[in-house]
């Protein structure tokens, strides 16, 4: 079918409002957040309902036209951008943005995939509930993408990843049929767990259009501290102190290095270090409890006093207000943005057992410095769950393109260290377009063969997000 005929048929379904074809309108959808990929497309389709989206997929399937599903386009691995030849159409979920239901007794939130994570958090908070998932891009990232990529983020240490919060899904399959699995049961032991197949599939098996998420009680007390520490070993020691004190209250335990912090202080307007002196590493710890008058703040002070006495912590500050809490979190959440403003970077989103994080950081830093003298290691991230963003910034004053040409060499060197510690080469960002080449090495044999068979069974025409995840 000629493309113009397909687009006319699609326009008849979604209306003029739901179809963007001008270059000026589609440009923002064809480049990824990191600007690693510049794709092309002749149309971005923005359906207004699940039924419309399903009809669009049915038309594309009949025409054999590949589809790239896209939410907020915040992928770190190019998972939501089309290829360069212009043969793929983008289906954007942004207009599926209704909260369908919030049940404070069942503690469930039923919502459409185009709702941003932040809007979902606010909807939960209005009913005195908490959606316990938080990522730096939550103001832009949409629920569909968050689930399709099984996002992790800051609260995994306590609540797990996106997949741990999903009770039900509605998915448009590659033939355009709709699977309505929007159940909200805590127990439902009825055959293969299909929803978990789509969570983390990165749009290669279908398009998530709605979901039922688990909520938890809203915290009654929250306490946040920023601590300066001498080393990742000291950060680990601090983590074990908090775990020994009250593991159930640790909401987040984030690590930053002086290099990353200096980028934030340099590039992010209003960013200020609330400590007396800079430190080689920093920990942001957040404790929270839904129990009123639980003495959370006292507990935090007690652990920090002991850690200061033991020399584990060099300096610490506890947020005294919501404004201070937000200012401390901003230092952490702006790490990626600050790194981008500093120059070109190569990202490694890896995980190792928590106990191995210090050894991993030391070995990986040494390996990268040996490979590329002058390269600036920026390890930061979710230390409490073992997920470190081991990012590398180009050597000061070097050429960005020259530096980026070493991306595979750098990633391979880091992954060699990850392997030594039985870690993962992609902890929370997924595979996207950046990492399929790593799959045979890490997931080869029966595992990859099974994934390929699942893909072929659900998407025999291969139209869903081709070239992503699987090599
Ligand atoms: C974050 O936790 O801020 C992002 O996942 C990080 C990144 O790798 O830049
Ligand atoms: Zn992260």
């Amino acid at each position: 079918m000629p493309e113009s005929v397909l687009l006319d048929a699609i326009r008849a379904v979604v209306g003029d409002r739901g179809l963007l074809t001008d270059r000026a309108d589609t440009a923002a959808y064809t480049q990824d957040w990191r600007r690693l990929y510049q794709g092309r497309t002749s149309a971005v389709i923005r359906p207004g309902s699940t039924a419309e989206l399903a009809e669009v997929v049915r038309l594309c399937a009949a025409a054999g036209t590949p589809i790239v599903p896209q939410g907020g386009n915040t992928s770190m691995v190019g998972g939501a951008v089309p290829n360069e030849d212009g043969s793929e159409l983008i289906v954007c979920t942004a207009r599926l943005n209704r909260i369908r239901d919030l049940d404070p007794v069942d503690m469930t939130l039923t919502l459409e995939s185009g709702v941003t994570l932040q809007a979902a958090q606010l909807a939960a908070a209005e009913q005195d509930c908490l959606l316990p998932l938080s990522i730096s891009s939550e103001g832009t990232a949409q629920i569909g993408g968050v689930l399709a990529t099984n996002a992790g983020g800051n609260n995994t240490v306590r609540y797990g990843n996106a997949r741990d919060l999903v009770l039900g899904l509605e998915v448009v399959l590659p033939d355009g049929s709709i699977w309505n699995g929007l159940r909200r049961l805590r127990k439902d032991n009825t055959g293969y767990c299909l929803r978990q197949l789509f969570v983390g599939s990165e749009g290669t098996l279908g398009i998530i259009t709605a979901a039922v998420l688990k909520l938890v009680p809203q915290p009654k007390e929250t306490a946040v501290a920023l601590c300066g520490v001498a080393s990742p070993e000291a950060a680990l020691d601090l983590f074990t102190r908090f775990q020994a004190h009250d593991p159930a209250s640790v909401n987040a335990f984030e690590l930053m290095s002086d290099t990353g912090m200096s980028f934030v202080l340099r590039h992010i307007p209003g960013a200020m270090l609330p400590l007396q002196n800079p430190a080689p590493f920093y920990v942001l710890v957040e404790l929270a409890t839904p129990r009123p008058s639980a003495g959370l703040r006292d507990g935090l002070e007690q652990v920090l006093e002991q850690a200061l006495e033991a020399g584990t912590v060099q300096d610490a500050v506890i947020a005294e207000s919501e404004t201070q809490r937000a200012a401390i979190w901003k230092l952490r959440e702006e790490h990626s943005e600050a790194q981008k403003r500093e120059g070109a970077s190569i990202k490694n989103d890896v995980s190792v057992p928590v106990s191995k994080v210090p050894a991993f950081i030391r070995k990986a830093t040494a390996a990268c410095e040996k490979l590329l003298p002058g390269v600036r290691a920026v390890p930061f991230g979710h230390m409490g769950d073992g997920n470190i963003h081991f990012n590398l910034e180009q050597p000061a004053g070097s050429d960005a393109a020259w530096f980026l040409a070493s991306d595979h060499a750098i990633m391979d060197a880091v992954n060699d260290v990850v392997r030594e510690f039985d870690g993962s080469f992609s902890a929370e960002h997924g595979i996207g377009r950046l990492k399929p080449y790593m799959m045979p090495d890490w997931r080869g044999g029966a595992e990859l063969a099974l994934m390929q068979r699942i893909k072929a069974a659900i998407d025999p025409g291969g139209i869903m997000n081709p070239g992503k995840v699987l090599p």
Side-chain angles (χ1 to χ4, degrees), residues 76 134-136 152-154 254 332 336 349 380-382 387-389 428-429:
M76 293 285 192
S134 170
I135 58 178
S136 299
N154 306 331
E254 298 281 313
R332 163 63 187 87
S336 281
D349 162 44
F380 69 95
H382 321 292
N387 172 197
I388 296 298
H389 300 302
E428 64 171 6
H429 294 169

Side-chain angles (χ1 to χ4, degrees), residues 79-242:
V81 285
N83 68 16
E84 289 77 17
D85 71 10
S87 63
E88 299 171 349
L89 300 181
I90 296 174
V91 173
C92 175
T93 51
R95 288 178 63 217
L96 305 182
N97 60 2
R98 284 184 316 132
I99 304 273
R100 292 190 188 171
D101 180 64
L102 193 152
D103 193 318
V105 176
D106 288 338
M107 299 291 273
T108 54
L109 175 61
T110 307
L111 74 182
E112 296 180 351
S113 57
V115 177
T116 65
L117 177 52
Q118 196 168 57
Q121 292 164 346
L122 290 173
E126 272 169 23
Q127 299 288 328
D128 207 25
C129 296
L130 175 75
L131 173 59
L133 186 70
S134 170
I135 58 178
S136 299
S137 57
E138 62 201 18
T140 311
Q142 296 172 13
I143 290 299
V146 162
L147 297 181
T149 59
N150 182 30
N154 306 331
N155 303 141
T156 301
V157 60
R158 180 158 176 182
Y159 296 106
N161 299 301
R163 81 162 69 254
D164 299 300
L165 302 174
V166 180
L167 293 175
L169 282 187
E170 177 188 86
V171 180
V172 171
L173 301 172
D175 62 0
S177 59
I178 300 170
W179 169 51
N180 185 343
L182 284 177
R183 292 183 280 265
R184 53 159 112 166
L185 305 172
R186 305 284 167 156
K187 282 188 169 174
D188 176 22
N189 210 358
T190 51
Y192 302 139
C193 185
L194 296 180
R195 68 181 186 278
Q196 295 297 359
L197 202 55
F198 294 97
V199 177
S201 68
E202 302 185 36
T204 61
L205 299 178
I207 304 180
I208 295 172
T209 49
V212 183
L213 303 179
K214 276 186 223 174
L215 302 175
V216 299
Q218 177 89 310
K220 293 281 177 286
E221 205 184 334
T222 302
V224 169
L226 182 72
C227 314
V229 296
S231 62
E233 285 78 3
L236 180 63
D237 181 62
L238 186 59
F239 180 65
T240 54
R241 286 170 187 270
F242 277 108

Side-chain angles (χ1 to χ4, degrees), residues 60 65 232 272 379:
C60 290
T65 299
M272 260 174 43

